[in-house]
């Protein structure tokens, strides 16, 4: 996991799809909740709750693993809503590689 950038991305929904394909991760903030949207070894996609950590100090998964970005974007993991459902209320931030989020 990388560190959340300080400045928000200027991105639309279609741009988010392309961004995930190219960058493999992004932070999504909705209200006070922050999710880390990421691929897992380039084989599957998942959302993680940044307010919860496991025994390895990694974010805890809050969605199931799915093989494609399209399937991932259709998962209702945000209080029963998908990323597309909440997109207009969300702010997205780059994940800065090489830096650990603490």
């Amino acid at each position: 996991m990388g560190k959340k950038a300080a400045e928000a991305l200027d991105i639309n929904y279609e741009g988010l799809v392309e961004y995930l394909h190219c960058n493999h991760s992004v932070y999504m903030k909705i209200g006070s909740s922050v999710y880390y949207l990421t691929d897992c070894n380039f084989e599957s996609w998942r959302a993680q709750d940044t307010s919860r950590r496991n025994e390895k100090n990694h974010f805890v998964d809050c969605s199931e693993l799915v093989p494609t970005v399209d399937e991932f974007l259709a998962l209702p993991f945000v209080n029963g809503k998908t990323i597309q459902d909440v997109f207009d209320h969300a702010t997205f931030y780059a994940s800065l590689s090489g830096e650990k989020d603490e």
Side-chain angles (χ1 to χ4, degrees), residues 13 28 30 35 37 47 62-64 71-90:
Y13 184 76
M28 178 178 77
I30 301 171
Y35 301 94
L37 314 179
C62 61
S63 77
E64 61 185 277
E71 288 176 271
F72 175 63
L73 295 172
L75 289 176
F77 71 90
V78 184
N79 297 320
K81 296 185 179 187
T82 68
I83 293 170
Q84 187 171 18
D85 294 337
V86 300
F87 185 86
D88 290 339
H89 304 289

Side-chain angles (χ1 to χ4, degrees), residues 12-76:
N12 62 23
Y13 184 76
E14 291 76 23
L16 175 63
V17 174
E18 183 64 27
Y19 188 89
L20 287 171
H21 278 294
C22 294
N23 296 284
H24 308 282
S25 62
V26 70
Y27 284 87
M28 178 178 77
K29 183 175 182 187
I30 301 171
S32 62
S33 298
V34 178
Y35 301 94
Y36 186 55
L37 314 179
T38 186
D39 66 8
C40 179
N41 299 324
F42 302 98
E43 295 178 9
S44 55
W45 290 88
R46 65 181 172 200
Q48 297 177 310
D49 180 348
T50 65
S51 69
R52 298 176 42 220
R53 304 277 181 132
N54 64 18
E55 64 280 351
K56 294 181 180 179
N57 202 31
H58 295 152
F59 300 141
V60 175
D61 290 356
C62 61
S63 77
E64 61 185 277
L65 293 172
V66 293
T68 68
V69 171
D70 289 337
E71 288 176 271
F72 175 63
L73 295 172
L75 289 176

